[in-house]
Every structure is written in structure tokens, then in C-alpha cells.
Amino acid sequence: MSALLPNPSHGCPALVEEAVFTACRLELMALKPGNVHIHAEGHGMSVAQFLDSAAAIAPILAVPGRRVGDAILRAVEATRDVAGCNTNLGIVLLLAPLAAAALARDKGESLRLRLARVLDGLSVADAADAFAAIRVALPAGLGEAAQHDVAEAPRIDLRAAMATAADRDLIARQYATAFGDIFTFGLARGRSALRRGASPAEVASAIHLGFMALHPDTHIARKHGVAVAERVRDQAFRLERRLAVGSAFGGNAGAARRLLAFDRALKRRGLNPGTSADLTVACLFVLRLAGELPAGPWPPDDDRRSPCRPTIIEPTITGDAQCLRSTRSWSAKPWWATATKSLTSISSSVRVEVPPRPPSARP
């Protein structure tokens, strides 16, 4: 057993399960323009559906030794059973290989190196299961592909299949680049926000708006076209500049108002930057594994915050009650004590390697 990672049959699965749920729940607590969150639901979906989906997929993704494709398919089927719609296909596609990497018996390697080995080991069977999961989820805007269409049996492994779509889908791009956007941009954005004293929910907001400003959201592009997605990206970029507080929003009293106004404008037009939200969850998952974000119950007390400092992410009473109702059974699970014991040992194994910034990255 590695000194850097607990035995996968004991503490590690519990921590991975908790990290999946914490990342998904925190993403819902954050003010994310255009997405479903506790401040404003939308697109015909509720916060409760997303929370139930998170509770359903967390134990599935935390099973050691499970093939990535099998985990993806089982998680999407479980989501359909509890939510009745596609709430988290992108999240599952991102978290399945990340969770497999966290559960792997390592040789003192960083999480990203273990992730690279997981991606290199993906098979045609993984592709078949992932394709089946996509058909189950029926994501909005899904069309036909000239080659390796999800409606057909795959002839290549899952990573190779994803690579063929990397130029038009940011989730697929992560498979082709060993999650380059997560490790080179998203984690840096989150850590910058933490250094500035941001609350966990503000960290999630900062990561999300950063991704919206960095790339045209491919979920919007599939449904509404590339030109619309680029306009939304430009609006997000301008908003981020207007806030003028770098990676953390807590120092700007008008930030919440501006973010909510952007949120309403996007939802009036039916624009959902879902891919940016999916990428945000992946970043939060890694930060939680590294011990840089606290676990639930959510939102936790944050002793770093000053009582004089404005708080932009202030969950409503209704939203809090909904969160608690949806997760009442989860809170009673024994993972809390086990995950706490495992946190110190697994945190040291999540050493992020940061490759050079890609030329396409925007400020």
C-alpha cells in the first residue's frame, strides 16, 4: 500500500464518495449565471433533482476497480431513476475517470499522472458503455457525428472517440488533454480565490465565471449555435472585468446583483452554460480531495470570513430547507467519520502538476 494513499478497500472510497457529493452540492450553492442553483432554478429543473442525482452517483463512482465506462453508465441510469431527466451527464463523464484515478493504487504519483494512466487504459468496452449512457441521458442539442456516432457501436476506445469530438465539445477535450482545462486553469482560478479569502461558494462562482469567459460554452453551442455561445462568452468576459476583483467576488458588494442580472438574462433566453458548470464540479472535486475545501454539511462555518465583509453567496431559507430535505438520508451515512480519518493521507497524494498555459487561454 502506498504511503500516500489509503487502502482502496477502506478509507479512500468513503472520501471519494464524499468528495463527489460535496463538489456537486457546493456547485448548487454557488451563484452561477444561467445554471440551476439555490438562488434561482431554471430550464425546467430543480435544485432537488440535482441533489438527488448527486447522492445517487456518489457511491457508484467510488467503487474501486470499476471500469470507467461501467461507472458512467450506472451513474447515468441511477440519475434517470431519481431525477427523471439529464441533470449530470457532463459531471459523470468528468468525475468517473477522476474518481478512478483517486482510487488507483499509486506509486507516489500525482493525481494527474494517475489520471493519465486511467485515460490511457480506456477500452472499446468503456466507449460502448459511455455511448449507451449518452443515449440514456439524451443531452439537449445532440446531433449526428460523421464518425464514431454514439448511436452506433464504437470501433475505438473511449479516449480516442472523445478525441474526435475535442474540437467541438469541452468535455471530450478533457479526455484528449488529460483534463488540461481543469488542471491548468480551473484549479488555478479556485486556488487564487481561496488565497483572497473567498468562501467555498465564492470559489465555485469564480471558477464558473472564469470558464464561461475562457471558452464558448459547448452546451450552448450545441443548442443555439457557435455565434450565440461566443456572445455569451464575451458577456461573461466583460462581466468578469467589470467586477474588477480578480478571482474572488467577495470584495465587491455589487457582484451578486450583477451576477443575478446576468443569470436572469441568460435564463430568459433559455441559455444554459452547462458545460462550464460541469467543469466547475470537476475542479471542486479535485480541490476537495486535496483538502483545500471543507466537507459538508453545507454551507460550513467559515472562520476566515470577516463579519464586516460583504457576502455575495447567501443561501435563502427556502433553498437551505430544500437542500436538507433532499439530503436527509445522506447526512446520516457513516462516511463522515471515515472520510475525516482518511483526509490527511489522501490529501498529500493529490499533488497537481501544472503544465504550461495553453496559447488559447484568455486572461
Side-chain angles (χ1 to χ4, degrees):
M1 181 180 72
S2 167
L4 296 176
L5 190 66
N7 190 322
S9 65
H10 295 92
C12 191
L15 180 57
V16 170
E17 182 176 353
E18 177 264 304
V20 170
F21 187 73
T22 293
C24 293
R25 192 175 186 184
L26 172 56
E27 183 258 348
L28 290 167
M29 304 299 293
L31 208 171
K32 309 180 314 301
N35 297 129
V36 173
H37 47 77
I38 65 168
H39 309 278
E41 297 177 338
H43 311 294
M45 295 179 288
S46 68
V47 170
Q49 286 175 302
F50 281 82
L51 285 168
D52 290 340
S53 301
I57 69 172
I60 294 171
L61 298 181
V63 176
R66 174 168 279 167
R67 283 192 303 103
V68 169
D70 183 54
I72 291 170
L73 180 56
R74 288 173 182 262
V76 169
E77 290 176 336
T79 295
R80 177 195 57 192
D81 292 342
V82 300
C85 62
N86 171 29
T87 56
N88 60 12
L89 174 62
I91 290 172
V92 169
L93 288 170
L94 291 171
L95 292 190
L98 281 170
L103 292 165
R105 293 180 182 271
D106 74 313
K107 301 177 181 178
E109 298 171 333
S110 68
L111 179 65
R112 195 175 185 191
L113 287 177
R114 281 181 281 159
L115 174 64
R117 288 195 287 110
V118 168
L119 295 173
D120 286 341
L122 294 176
S123 65
V124 176
D126 290 313
D129 285 339
F131 283 16
I134 294 171
R135 293 194 296 270
V136 168
L138 288 176
L142 182 66
E144 296 182 356
Q147 56 178 342
H148 312 301
D149 192 290
V150 298
E152 303 172 353
R155 300 183 300 276
I156 56 178
D157 65 73
L158 179 56
R159 190 177 194 184
M162 288 290 194
T164 66
D167 61 337
R168 63 181 185 274
D169 187 285
L170 286 170
I171 304 297
R173 170 179 158 132
Q174 305 318 305
Y175 278 72
T177 62
F179 285 48
D181 290 312
I182 304 299
F183 285 92
T184 63
F185 178 80
L187 294 185
R189 175 57 59 92
R191 285 169 174 155
S192 177
L194 286 168
R195 285 194 300 270
R196 292 168 180 262
S199 71
E202 289 170 344
V203 170
S205 290
I207 294 171
H208 179 262
L209 189 61
F211 275 125
M212 284 187 68
L214 181 67
H215 298 298
D217 189 275
T218 48
H219 182 75
I220 293 178
R222 278 197 305 272
K223 290 187 66 178
H224 303 277
V226 175
V228 172
E230 174 57 29
R231 283 198 293 273
V232 172
R233 186 212 61 76
D234 184 65
Q235 291 170 341
F237 182 76
R238 291 173 183 272
L239 175 58
E240 193 173 41
R241 287 292 182 90
R242 188 176 302 155
L243 295 179
V245 290
S247 299
F249 301 134
N252 189 321
R257 177 175 55 81
R258 293 183 183 277
L259 289 168
L260 284 169
F262 191 26
D263 180 68
R264 288 191 295 269
L266 292 174
K267 286 173 178 170
R268 278 197 301 267
R269 299 168 61 194
L271 301 176
N272 178 6
T275 303
S276 299
D278 298 338
L279 295 170
T280 299
V281 173
C283 294
L284 297 173
F285 174 74
V286 176
L287 289 171
R288 173 62 196 136
L289 282 184
E292 297 177 60
L293 288 174
W298 212 265
D301 293 332
D302 193 340
D303 295 331
R304 294 170 301 169
R305 299 191 62 81
S306 164
C308 299
R309 182 179 172 195
T311 303
I312 74 156
I313 304 301
E314 192 65 40
T316 62
I317 295 175
T318 302
D320 276 344
Q322 189 176 39
C323 289
L324 292 174
R325 283 198 304 273
S326 182
T327 59
R328 58 188 179 276
S329 60
W330 178 274
S331 300
K333 284 191 174 184
W335 58 255
W336 183 269
T338 308
T340 302
K341 293 177 182 177
S342 304
L343 180 58
T344 301
S345 54
I346 195 173
S347 295
S348 62
S349 72
V350 188
R351 300 191 308 277
V352 176
E353 294 184 349
V354 182
R357 190 176 184 183
S360 62
R362 297 176 182 268

